[in-house]
């Protein structure tokens, strides 16, 4: 761990100069050129392999570890080489399998579609690990998508839809049987604070325009897709966990707030259709 800590603190592999901050790779229809697999034993023994895996997660968003022992505890062993495992009400790790009369869609063989897990948490884990111990004889493929690429495409295709998903809060919830109801609110596209100097922006398009002009004026390269990605903290795409909007009559909500809520629902519905 001392060697790994040195790598993290220096930002480079031993014997090499400091790595430049690598830009996040946006997926296309072409295979990712630098995506590689990591052997379990090498990953466990070699801190450089851990660094390379973390670096790949940062740039490509995906990494595969091969030859993993078929034991439940192997997953936590892989995770703890990176950092502490975030416990949840599911436990230290979560055993997902198909069961009859499932209380959660994850326990079925149904296609769940693209989604981000645990969005009903205030702070969902930033990295999720999946370990296939025993696969079904047929089906069960895991399919991945680049939500950041989708958001960038939406920014160019329909700026107003992007604006809606970046500014209008959406409710997520989960009613865990015999436990608590988990609920949180956040936009689909979660952005960093948009600020230039003392000026704080509420519209992404206005911020992008001023950022571009100021960057060019100071000899920079201006606004770009990579700059947009750097401003996106995360994409909260979780249709299975969406909660209803508050669009019913409530004595505590006046008519103006009621009307605004209905407009937001319509904007979100339109933006989501474009996003998917």
């Amino acid at each position: 761990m001392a060697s790994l800590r040195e790598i993290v603190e220096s930002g480079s592999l031993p014997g090499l100069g400091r790595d430049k901050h690598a830009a996040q790779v946006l997926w296309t229809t072409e295979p990712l050129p630098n995506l590689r697999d990591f052997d379990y034993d090498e990953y466990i023994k070699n801190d450089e392999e851990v660094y390379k895996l973390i670096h790949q997660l940062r740039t490509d968003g995906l990494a595969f570890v091969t030859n993993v022992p078929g034991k439940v505890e192997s997953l936590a062993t892989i995770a703890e080489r990176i950092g502490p495992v975030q416990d949840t009400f599911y436990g230290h790790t979560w055993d997902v399998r198909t069961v009859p009369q499932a209380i959660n869609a994850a326990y079925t063989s149904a296609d769940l579609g693209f989604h981000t897990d645990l969005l009903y948490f205030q702070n969902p884990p930033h990295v999720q690990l999946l370990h296939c111990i025993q696969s079904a004889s047929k089906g069960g493929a895991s399919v991945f998508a680049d939500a950041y690429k989708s958001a960038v495409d939406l920014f160019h295709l329909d700026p107003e839809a992007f604006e809606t998903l970046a500014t209008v809060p959406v409710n997520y919830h989960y009613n865990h049987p015999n436990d608590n109801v988990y609920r949180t609110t956040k936009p689909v596209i979660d952005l960093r604070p948009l600020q230039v100097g003392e000026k704080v922006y509420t519209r992404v398009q206005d911020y992008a325009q001023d950022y571009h002009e100021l960057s060019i004026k100071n000899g920079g390269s201006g606004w770009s897709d990579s700059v947009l990605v750097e401003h996106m903290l995360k994409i909260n795409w979780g249709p299975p966990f969406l909660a209803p909007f508050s669009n019913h009559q409530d004595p505590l909500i006046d008519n103006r707030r009621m009307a605004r809520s209905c407009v937001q629902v319509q904007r979100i519905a339109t933006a989501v259709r474009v996003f998917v």
Side-chain angles (χ1 to χ4, degrees), residues 36-46 49-50 53 64-69 78:
R36 52 157 290 200
D37 294 346
F38 295 84
D39 178 74
Y40 176 84
D41 287 336
E42 281 298 311
Y43 171 83
I44 295 300
K45 296 184 297 185
N46 191 336
E49 288 294 284
V50 178
L53 182 139
F64 294 94
V65 179
T66 59
N67 302 316
V68 180
I78 294 173

Side-chain angles (χ1 to χ4, degrees), residues 132-152:
C132 181
I133 297 178
Q134 181 178 359
S135 63
S137 57
K138 182 179 180 181
S142 294
V143 184
F144 304 93
D146 186 353
Y148 289 92
K149 179 63 165 66
S150 298
V152 168

Side-chain angles (χ1 to χ4, degrees), residues 4 22 29 38-39 43 54 119 143 154 191 195 216-217 227 257:
L4 180 58
T29 55
F38 295 84
D39 178 74
Y43 171 83
I54 295 172
L119 288 183
V143 184
L154 183 66
L191 298 175
Q195 184 172 353
I216 296 297
K217 181 180 178 181
V227 173
R257 288 185 60 193

Side-chain angles (χ1 to χ4, degrees), residues 23-26 148-149 151-157 162 211-212 221-232:
Q24 188 169 322
V25 176
L26 296 178
Y148 289 92
K149 179 63 165 66
V152 168
D153 289 346
L154 183 66
F155 181 82
H156 296 294
L157 177 67
F162 182 96
Y211 179 101
H212 180 79
S221 56
W223 185 263
S224 64
D225 288 349
S226 61
V227 173
L228 175 59
V229 170
E230 286 295 330
H231 280 75
M232 288 190 276

Side-chain angles (χ1 to χ4, degrees), residues 103-144:
I103 59 174
N104 188 308
Y107 296 132
T108 71
S109 58
D111 181 2
L112 300 180
F114 292 120
H115 65 279
T116 305
D117 276 336
L118 305 177
L119 288 183
Y120 39 84
F121 285 174
Q122 188 67 36
N123 294 298
H126 285 207
V127 178
Q128 185 170 17
L129 285 74
L130 304 175
H131 179 200
C132 181
I133 297 178
Q134 181 178 359
S135 63
S137 57
K138 182 179 180 181
S142 294
V143 184
F144 304 93

Side-chain angles (χ1 to χ4, degrees), residues 72-114:
V72 173
E73 56 269 23
S74 298
L75 185 66
T77 302
I78 294 173
E80 288 165 354
R81 288 285 278 146
I82 300 175
V85 176
Q86 179 177 332
D87 285 352
T88 70
F89 58 79
Y90 292 113
H92 193 59
T93 59
W94 181 18
D95 186 14
V96 181
R97 63 180 68 199
T98 302
V99 297
Q101 298 180 332
I103 59 174
N104 188 308
Y107 296 132
T108 71
S109 58
D111 181 2
L112 300 180
F114 292 120

Side-chain angles (χ1 to χ4, degrees), residues 3 192 210 263:
S3 176
R192 300 181 187 277
D210 286 0
V263 170

